[in-house]
């Protein structure tokens, strides 16, 4: 999302108190733990009302979800539905649930405005299901805001994969 | 395991209405060898869309039918498809996925070629004898290439019939897949390149399988649609609309249903109504009705599927009996507003692709079938007899898959003439 677009979205509240890398790391570690533990309802509470969950196509990692076809381009309503589906009984691709283990590292603050902060982090997510092992490697580019209770939340949660194709992974059925 | 003769791979009992596939067809490496030789090397294969190489100098590389190829647009604007292997000693000439260039240079010994394939430069060319003819050493074109309304198909069989004749009855429906927006279409930036640990023919079946939708995609109809405020009754209710399954001849086939409410028809009603009015102006009310008021999954033998609900183009190729590569794109109108394009993409992504709310469940289903085939010795047959006794098989029946299998079976036996793909020969004559 371009900087000028971020300004157009109504702020949740200003980034007060100021955000530090330690707080961001804490937030990302907490988020990763919720996803690995399949506590998806709790995780969903970290996505702001105007939040988006994005994964660009692998041949166009730097593209814009409004003009290019992504692999995932969920608005908040779709993220909420995704969570409900994954916790329901007919998400066959995640039955049984994948085991995942996320390594999130190299956290950096890229840009800071009055009411949002743009951060990046590297990730390696190991996924185990049906006796197959897949590793999803890439970087996150997140736009974080402060939520009503002053904790950090996602305004944009973007996972940019370094993989050239989703082979042999085949699917992105858990939350990356 | 004891080897089964090829002739026993299909039971096609039209009299009693039973159709079965021997599961060895999904698992045997020797079958895959025959498929490569008799099917993929002797049919028309979708390679690219002209919009991917729209400007002079543009190129894309990919694998088609197991070979690396380069699709280019030469200086005069003409598309070409070359084998991506250097005429000198074999190196891949082009290593980029896509780009734009005046010339392509093979890095190994630095031979260079223009985008019409002509050999431009050979370092130290004086070392060659007069018998070495530069004009014979350009990039090698694929044996056949034809472009149907922007869709570039290639064949590795120099003697194959024309593409138009090959497409046959499928042409009309392919036209609908191109004309739906009242405008030229283009491949949207962003490709979905994924895989399935399953035999490629399982994806042929799945791509036009109305029967699996309610169970496999339960979460899409009963969770996602209600979550976005839509009533799934037209899809999943007791009085849901049914369509028809059709054999189009030549192994091409289709399921076709009256248009039902989708996330797109609800989010873009005004825009779609305007497009429909444009279609009436352009094509008349009857043809506009056929284009706009139905949804279709159109299968072009052997490995191309177009689905109008999302306007996707999808092709796939087996690397092993139990593993295929899948490539999918969105084929959308060029001049849609940015808002409409985004609505189309949102609709596409809500269902399709590795991160959609449906495709991953298809992947799991197909991979589950493949793993299940380990029981093949005790459980050798799969059944696709549904609707075989019916006058008009519905979209929930399996006629369209039988049509594929009948053509597959004929080609695997070297019967290259017209095949009897429908359940009832007399209906075939009427319909085809
Ligand atoms: S192999 Fe290409 S120049 Fe020698
Ligand atoms: Fe499906």
């Amino acid at each position: 999302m371009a900087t000028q677009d971020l300004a157009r979205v109504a702020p949740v509240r200003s980034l007060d108190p100021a955000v530090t890398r330690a707080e961001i790391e804490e937030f990302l570690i907490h988020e990763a733990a919720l996803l690995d533990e399949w506590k998806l309802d709790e995780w969903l509470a970290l996505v702001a009302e105007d939040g988006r969950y994005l994964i660009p196509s692998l041949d166009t990692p730097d593209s814009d979800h409004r003009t290019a076809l992504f692999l995932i381009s969920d608005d908040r309503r779709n993220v909420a539905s995704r969570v409900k589906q994954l916790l329901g009984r007919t998400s066959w691709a995640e039955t049984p649930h994948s085991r995942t283990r996320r390594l999130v590292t190299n956290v950096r603050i890229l840009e800071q405005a009055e009411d949002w902060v743009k951060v990046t982090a590297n990730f390696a997510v190991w996924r185990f299901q049906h006796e197959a092992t897949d590793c999803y490697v890439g970087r996150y580019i997140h736009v974080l805001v402060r939520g009503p209770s002053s904790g950090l939340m996602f305004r944009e949660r973007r996972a940019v994969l370094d993989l050239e194709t989703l082979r042999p992974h085949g699917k992105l059925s858990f939350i990356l | 395991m004891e080897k089964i003769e090829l002739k026993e791979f299909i039971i096609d009992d039209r009299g009693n209405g039973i159709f079965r596939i021997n599961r060895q067809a999904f698992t045997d490496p020797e079958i895959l060898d025959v498929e490569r030789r008799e099917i993929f090397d002797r049919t028309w294969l979708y390679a690219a869309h002209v919009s991917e190489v729209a400007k002079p100098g543009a190129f894309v590389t990919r694998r088609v039918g197991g070979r690396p190829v380069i699709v280019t647009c030469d200086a005069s604007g003409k598309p070409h498809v070359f084998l991506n292997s250097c005429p000198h000693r074999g190196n891949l000439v082009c290593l980029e996925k896509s780009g734009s260039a005046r010339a392509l240079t093979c890095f190994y010994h630095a031979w260079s070629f223009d985008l019409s394939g002509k050999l431009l430069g050979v370092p130290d060319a004086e070392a060659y004898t007069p018998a070495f003819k530069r004009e014979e050493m350009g990039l090698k074109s694929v044996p056949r290439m034809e472009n149907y309304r922007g869709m570039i198909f290639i064949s590795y069989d120099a003697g194959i019939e024309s593409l138009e004749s090959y497409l046959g009855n499928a042409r009309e429906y392919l036209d609908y897949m191109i004309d739906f927006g009242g405008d030229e279409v283009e491949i949207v930036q962003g490709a979905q390149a994924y895989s399935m640990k399953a035999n490629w023919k399982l994806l042929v079946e799945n791509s036009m399988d109305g029967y699996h939708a309610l169970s496999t995609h339960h979460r899409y109809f009963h969770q996602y649609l209600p979550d976005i405020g839509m009533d799934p009754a037209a899809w999943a209710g007791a009085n849901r609309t049914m369509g028809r399954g059709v054999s189009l001849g030549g192994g091409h086939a289709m399921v076709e249903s009256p248009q039902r409410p989708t996330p797109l028809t609800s989010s873009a009603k005004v825009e779609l109504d305007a497009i429909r009015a444009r279609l009436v102006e352009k094509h008349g009310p009857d043809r506009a009705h056929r284009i706009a008021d139905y949804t279709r999954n159109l299968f072009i033998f052997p490995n191309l599927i177009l689905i109008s609900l999302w306007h996707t183009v999808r092709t796939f190729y087996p690397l092993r009996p139990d593993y295929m590569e899948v490539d999918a794109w969105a084929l959308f109108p060029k001049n849609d507003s940015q808002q409409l394009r985004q609505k189309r993409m949102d609709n596409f992504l809500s269902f399709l692709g590795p991160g959609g709310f449906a495709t991953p469940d298809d992947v799991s289903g197909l991979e589950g079938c493949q793993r299940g085939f380990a029981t093949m010795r005790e459980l050798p047959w799969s059944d696709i007899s549904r609707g075989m006794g019916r006058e008009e098989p519905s979209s929930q029946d399996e006629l369209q898959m039988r049509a594929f299998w009948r053509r597959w079976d004929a080609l695997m036996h070297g019967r290259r003439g017209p095949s009897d793909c429908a359940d009832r020969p007399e209906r075939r004559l009427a319909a085809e």
Side-chain angles (χ1 to χ4, degrees):
Chain A
M1 194 183 280
T3 308
Q4 64 272 25
D5 300 317
L6 291 169
R8 251 188 268 130
V9 182
V12 179
R13 51 182 287 170
S14 74
L15 270 181
D16 178 28
V19 72
T20 62
R21 191 172 81 182
E23 185 186 7
I24 291 165
E25 284 186 1
E26 195 63 40
F27 173 75
L28 294 178
I29 290 168
H30 174 61
E31 182 225 15
L34 292 178
L35 289 172
D36 281 343
E37 290 163 25
W38 279 79
K39 293 181 177 162
L40 302 186
D41 279 329
E42 278 178 60
W43 175 83
L44 181 61
L46 303 179
V47 180
E49 278 313 305
D50 58 357
R52 267 199 110 96
Y53 165 40
L54 301 169
I55 303 183
S57 292
L58 305 183
D59 60 336
T60 52
D62 301 319
S63 53
D64 181 328
H65 70 276
R66 292 164 304 184
T67 53
L69 188 70
F70 271 39
L71 294 169
I72 292 178
S73 172
D74 282 357
D75 58 8
R76 178 60 162 68
R77 187 175 66 171
N78 277 17
V79 184
S81 180
R82 185 179 291 277
V83 163
K84 251 202 262 177
Q85 292 173 42
L86 287 171
L87 294 177
R89 279 168 301 128
T90 61
S91 285
W92 310 118
E94 288 300 328
T95 308
H97 289 175
S98 298
R99 294 183 185 183
T100 60
R101 190 60 56 200
R102 290 153 211 265
L103 311 180
V104 180
T105 178
N106 303 55
V107 176
R108 281 184 293 152
I109 295 178
L110 294 178
E111 198 181 341
Q112 200 157 172
E114 196 193 333
D115 64 318
W116 54 265
V117 59
K118 190 171 186 180
V119 306
T120 186
N122 294 353
F123 64 80
V125 180
W126 293 88
R127 183 260 188 96
F128 307 89
Q129 190 193 37
H130 303 310
E131 296 180 44
T133 304
D134 292 304
C135 187
Y136 297 75
V137 179
R139 68 201 147 103
Y140 288 126
I141 302 174
H142 299 321
V143 176
L144 306 178
V145 295
R146 283 211 188 280
S149 58
S150 103
L152 292 173
M153 294 180 86
F154 290 107
R155 178 175 281 171
E156 187 172 295
R157 187 180 182 287
R158 180 185 295 247
V160 183
L161 282 161
D162 292 326
L163 311 177
E164 297 165 287
T165 61
L166 268 177
R167 298 170 182 150
H169 309 61
K171 48 189 183 173
L172 277 168
S173 42
F174 61 97
I175 292 170
L176 182 62
Chain B
M1 184 190 302
E2 206 180 315
K3 185 88 188 147
I4 302 181
E5 284 302 310
L6 200 51
K7 62 177 160 42
E8 296 169 48
F9 272 78
I10 287 184
I11 294 171
D12 187 0
D13 181 351
R14 286 172 162 104
N16 293 306
I18 290 294
F19 197 101
R20 303 240 155 96
I21 307 294
N22 191 293
R23 293 176 175 185
Q24 200 171 335
F26 297 109
T27 62
D28 188 337
E30 286 179 38
I31 292 290
L32 179 55
D33 288 343
V34 181
E35 288 175 337
R36 289 210 175 100
R37 198 173 65 233
E38 299 297 332
I39 297 180
F40 290 107
D41 288 359
R42 304 196 61 169
T43 49
W44 281 103
L45 306 174
Y46 175 74
H49 191 268
V50 289
S51 60
E52 295 178 90
V53 287
K55 294 201 183 89
F59 65 85
V60 298
T61 61
R62 56 187 51 154
R63 277 189 299 275
V64 181
R67 280 83 148 172
V69 302
I70 318 172
V71 185
T72 70
C73 177
D74 72 18
S76 71
K78 205 172 142 243
H80 298 265
V81 183
F82 301 109
L83 299 169
N84 191 2
S85 175
C86 187
H88 180 220
R89 278 162 53 194
N91 186 28
L92 293 170
V93 172
C94 185
L95 302 169
E96 302 293 327
K97 288 296 287 173
S98 65
S100 181
R102 294 264 283 283
L104 301 171
T105 302
C106 173
F107 79 80
Y108 198 9
H109 311 93
W111 285 24
S112 61
F113 309 87
D114 74 11
L115 274 77
S116 71
K118 201 173 136 235
L119 179 61
L120 292 179
V122 176
D124 305 321
E126 64 281 2
Y128 289 93
T129 65
F132 176 90
K133 299 267 184 290
R134 283 174 87 106
E135 58 278 14
E136 290 166 3
M137 300 304 280
L139 290 176
K140 178 93 174 150
S141 291
V142 293
R144 292 285 295 278
M145 181 204 97
E146 280 177 35
N147 167 352
Y148 184 75
R149 300 194 59 197
M151 300 184 75
I152 299 172
F153 288 76
I154 64 172
S155 180
Y156 295 110
D157 178 1
I160 194 171
E161 66 190 304
S162 74
L163 176 62
E164 287 206 2
S165 127
Y166 178 88
L167 292 172
N169 296 314
R171 256 176 69 193
E172 176 185 351
Y173 300 101
L174 194 51
D175 285 341
Y176 300 163
M177 295 285 183
I178 294 168
D179 290 334
F180 71 95
D183 185 17
E184 262 184 78
V185 285
E186 66 179 2
I187 295 287
V188 177
Q189 192 193 33
Q192 300 198 328
Y194 55 108
S195 60
M196 301 190 193
K197 293 170 188 134
N199 186 269
W200 68 279
K201 300 184 291 300
L202 289 171
L203 186 53
V204 173
E205 296 180 346
N206 173 263
S207 295
M208 43 179 177
D209 180 358
Y211 194 22
H212 83 297
L214 288 191
S215 44
T216 296
H217 303 309
H218 184 275
R219 62 161 158 151
Y220 184 84
F221 296 111
H222 292 285
Q223 185 75 65
Y224 180 64
L225 291 184
D227 279 350
I228 62 166
M230 290 186 63
D231 179 0
W235 297 92
N239 298 320
R240 62 182 184 270
T241 335
M242 289 285 193
R244 59 183 188 132
V246 189
S247 163
L248 296 169
H252 314 313
M254 176 177 73
V255 287
E256 179 186 66
S257 306
Q259 180 68 263
R260 287 161 282 193
T262 69
L264 182 68
T265 62
S266 67
S267 70
K269 187 175 181 332
V270 177
E271 296 99 310
L272 294 180
D273 285 349
I275 287 173
R276 198 186 182 292
R278 229 163 46 233
L279 291 173
V280 171
E281 246 170 66
K282 212 166 156 180
H283 301 285
D286 290 350
R287 190 174 166 84
H289 169 68
R290 290 200 301 278
I291 295 172
D293 301 341
Y294 294 89
T295 64
R296 301 180 178 92
N297 296 31
L298 174 64
F299 170 68
I300 308 287
F301 192 92
N303 65 342
L304 175 66
I305 184 92
L306 293 99
I307 307 179
S308 69
L309 272 171
W310 309 288
H311 299 298
T312 191
V313 174
R314 173 162 81 198
T315 182
F316 38 94
Y317 188 78
L319 294 193
R320 297 193 310 263
D322 59 355
Y323 183 73
M324 78 184 102
E325 296 186 334
V326 185
D327 289 291
W329 299 269
L331 186 67
F332 287 177
K334 229 177 223 171
N335 295 317
D336 273 349
S337 66
Q338 192 257 315
Q339 289 88 337
L340 179 55
R341 171 152 296 190
Q342 192 173 358
K343 288 173 186 176
R344 289 195 196 278
M345 292 193 297
D346 286 346
N347 181 51
F348 183 115
L349 292 182
S350 73
F351 196 97
L352 278 187
F357 298 142
T359 302
D361 299 321
D362 288 312
V363 176
S364 286
L366 273 51
E367 293 184 348
C369 292
Q370 195 71 36
R371 295 209 309 275
F373 293 157
T375 64
M376 195 170 55
R377 186 160 155 187
E378 294 75 30
L379 191 45
W381 298 97
S382 286
D383 184 276
I384 55 169
S385 308
R386 199 174 201 270
M388 207 161 162
R390 286 197 179 145
E391 274 295 309
E392 297 264 350
S394 83
S395 51
Q396 310 285 302
D397 290 330
E398 293 167 338
L399 164 66
Q400 60 283 359
M401 299 171 215
R402 293 189 286 276
F404 159 76
W405 278 108
R406 286 172 178 141
R407 185 62 181 161
W408 178 88
D409 192 49
L411 293 185
M412 293 293 280
H413 286 90
R415 297 194 303 268
R416 313 203 63 81
S419 309
D420 190 5
C421 292
D423 285 348
R424 294 154 189 263
E426 71 278 13
R427 295 202 66 79
R428 177 178 65 84
L429 290 178
E432 296 174 11

